[in-house]
Amino acid sequence: DVQLVESGGGLVQPGGSLRLACAISGFRFSNYAIHWVRQAPGKGLEFVSVISGNGYDSYYADSVKGRFTISRDKSKNMLFLEMGSLRLEDTGRYFCARVGPYYGLDYWGQGTVVTVSS
Amino acid sequence: QSVLTQPPSVSAAPGQTITISCSGTSSNIGTNFVSWYQHVPGAAPKLLIYDTNNRASGTPDRVSGSKSGTSATLDISGLQTGDEADYYCGAWDTRLSVYVFGAGTKVTVL
């Protein structure tokens, strides 16, 4: 079965850092791009970042560019999101999602909650 | 403000048909694959439609999608109480090099 399981969320102060992880199973990691998508409290879904199947290409939302870094460890079937210089507006639930055929995000994890607060 | 424009809410009685619109531009809906997602708060979002009108696994055939130019539409017929959720359209934006979502449409079954 395809599974994506996020971890690493928590409470962090503004300006702090956090590393999210997404454990992947049930499919060949190198064949699929993977997204990070977030949802702030009371808001809609927002693209954060995506990394290609081979790990060579990545893209970021303007709101996180220069502060967040996406990476993957093929040997461990893990995806990561290094988040730095965190702001109050980074608070939300963070999902990892697989890019399926024709760019539909076909499998999602349950998400991990990040709270940025002093 | 979202790049893709959706109505904030749609409501209808059980059994009726609803239509959710998603308006974009030539750099997203106009040239790239459109998907639709159903999200019940607290759960993982679920892919309903990909490539404009292809149903994802598990999507009932009373759910359909279409596209014309830079606008896409999701139709749900035979509305059920279990359809109450937030619905999002999404597409890659070639000009911005990001994936864009609509702001979401809350569906209420009266």
Side-chain angles (χ1 to χ4, degrees):
Chain A
D1 284 4
V2 172
Q3 280 198 319
L4 298 93
V5 180
E6 303 90 341
S7 61
L11 175 64
V12 60
Q13 291 189 334
S17 300
L18 211 55
R19 187 196 203 201
L20 304 185
C22 173
I24 288 160
S25 60
F27 63 96
R28 191 176 178 89
F29 196 18
S30 58
N31 287 355
Y32 294 87
I34 308 288
H35 275 233
W36 285 101
V37 175
R38 68 185 180 185
Q39 183 177 37
K43 302 292 185 182
L45 300 177
E46 180 190 14
F47 166 80
V48 174
S49 182
V50 59
I51 189 167
S52 61
N54 59 18
Y56 293 152
D57 298 305
S58 58
Y59 299 91
Y60 298 88
D62 283 348
S63 57
V64 307
K65 204 173 290 183
R67 300 187 299 122
F68 290 12
T69 302
I70 192 171
S71 62
R72 58 198 295 163
D73 185 332
K74 193 172 72 171
S75 66
K76 296 180 181 176
N77 282 348
M78 297 288 291
L79 175 79
F80 301 101
L81 186 69
E82 297 275 1
M83 304 189 297
S85 302
L86 282 163
R87 304 168 181 168
L88 298 177
E89 56 266 33
D90 294 319
T91 293
R93 181 175 290 271
Y94 285 70
F95 301 94
C96 54
R98 188 183 85 166
V99 181
Y102 302 101
Y103 218 103
L105 304 183
D106 58 356
Y107 287 92
W108 296 66
Q110 291 294 319
T112 187
V113 176
V114 172
T115 303
V116 183
S117 174
S118 54
Chain B
Q1 189 163 344
S2 299
V3 173
L4 304 182
T5 302
Q6 295 181 235
S9 63
V10 171
S11 60
Q16 292 193 323
T17 297
I18 61 168
T19 296
I20 301 172
S21 60
C22 176
S23 177
T25 68
S26 58
S27 63
N28 42 65
I29 292 178
T31 52
N32 294 314
F33 304 117
V34 180
S35 297
W36 289 91
Y37 305 91
Q38 179 190 57
H39 188 208
V40 175
K46 176 185 171 186
L47 177 66
L48 288 178
I49 297 286
Y50 64 93
D51 188 20
T52 300
N53 55 13
N54 290 280
R55 295 181 191 88
S57 175
T59 301
D61 57 10
R62 58 189 183 82
V63 177
S64 62
S66 61
K67 184 174 90 168
S68 177
T70 58
S71 292
T73 298
L74 180 74
D75 293 308
I76 305 177
S77 62
L79 199 63
Q80 302 175 1
T81 55
D83 295 326
E84 285 202 334
D86 298 316
Y87 292 80
Y88 297 86
C89 55
W92 183 259
D93 191 297
T94 305
R95 181 178 65 85
L96 299 174
S97 293
V98 297
Y99 194 79
V100 290
F101 290 100
T105 298
K106 182 177 180 61
V107 170
T108 301
V109 181
L110 301 173

